Amino acid sequence: MSDEKPAAAAQPAATVVLLRAGKDAPEILLVERARSMGFAGGMYVFPGGKVDDGDLAIARNPKWTRGFEGLSDADAAGRVASARETFEEAGVVLSEGPALDDATRAEWRRRLNLANDHDESKRYAEILEATGHVLSADALLPFSHWIPPLAHGVAKRFDTLFYIARLPDGEVMTPDGREAVTAHWSTAAAALARADAGEIGVIFPTRRNLERLARFASIAE
């Protein structure tokens, strides 16, 4: 019999490649994670995080979402989680509805930041309910899917769905200062050049997705 413990299952997670038009190529939002974070501390990543148990319930509620009916459970929950994390970390609202004034936006971000890992989806549902916003599945399009192999040295494994989203008109990125200590718009090529020069750190999935993104000259493409 082996004394080795079975490897832990990868935790569901979701992340957003947020795009806006640039002069020569699309610009991508990268956030710098706080160095104190248990995963990828100090690295530059796309906004995202773990999928909460309550994200699927939001996705299946037609009062809060639109176009989720034909999606798998994992995809449906992933789109909700990625929109929730983008608002929490970068202040960008991907749902549709009445414009949020600065005070309302700041208060809901504060509530999300104070929530524990299991209550973030509950807080996001409260935001949708209170603001009358609806999250459309079309706002987030699948781009890639990453699961690290079972290998020695991988302390935390995440089963991560990557989505592409366009920065909505009027939305402005502001890092939360807690998980995302800074945030930057950059073309994929420029981000890769900074990583190669040692100016920023990127984890392997981020780098591979940046390499893929660098092939495209426009958001539509």
Side-chain angles (χ1 to χ4, degrees), residues 113-178:
N113 278 319
L114 290 176
N116 61 43
D117 288 346
H118 301 292
D119 284 342
E120 288 185 4
S121 57
K122 179 181 178 181
R123 294 289 177 265
Y124 189 62
E126 292 172 354
I127 293 170
L128 296 173
E129 181 71 24
T131 61
H133 272 229
V134 174
L135 179 63
S136 173
D138 290 342
L140 296 140
L141 303 180
F143 185 68
S144 63
H145 184 187
W146 282 79
I147 308 175
L150 290 169
H152 178 70
V154 179
K156 291 187 177 181
R157 298 178 64 244
F158 293 98
D159 180 345
T160 307
L161 296 171
F162 287 73
Y163 297 94
I164 279 188
R166 186 191 296 263
L167 179 70
D169 292 341
E171 288 297 308
V172 177
M173 173 274 296
T174 53
D176 66 356
R178 186 178 67 95

Side-chain angles (χ1 to χ4, degrees), residues 81-102:
S82 57
R84 170 174 54 73
E85 291 284 346
T86 299
F87 179 55
E88 179 183 355
E89 294 182 8
V92 173
V93 175
L94 295 178
S95 53
E96 301 169 7
L100 304 183
D101 59 50
D102 291 343

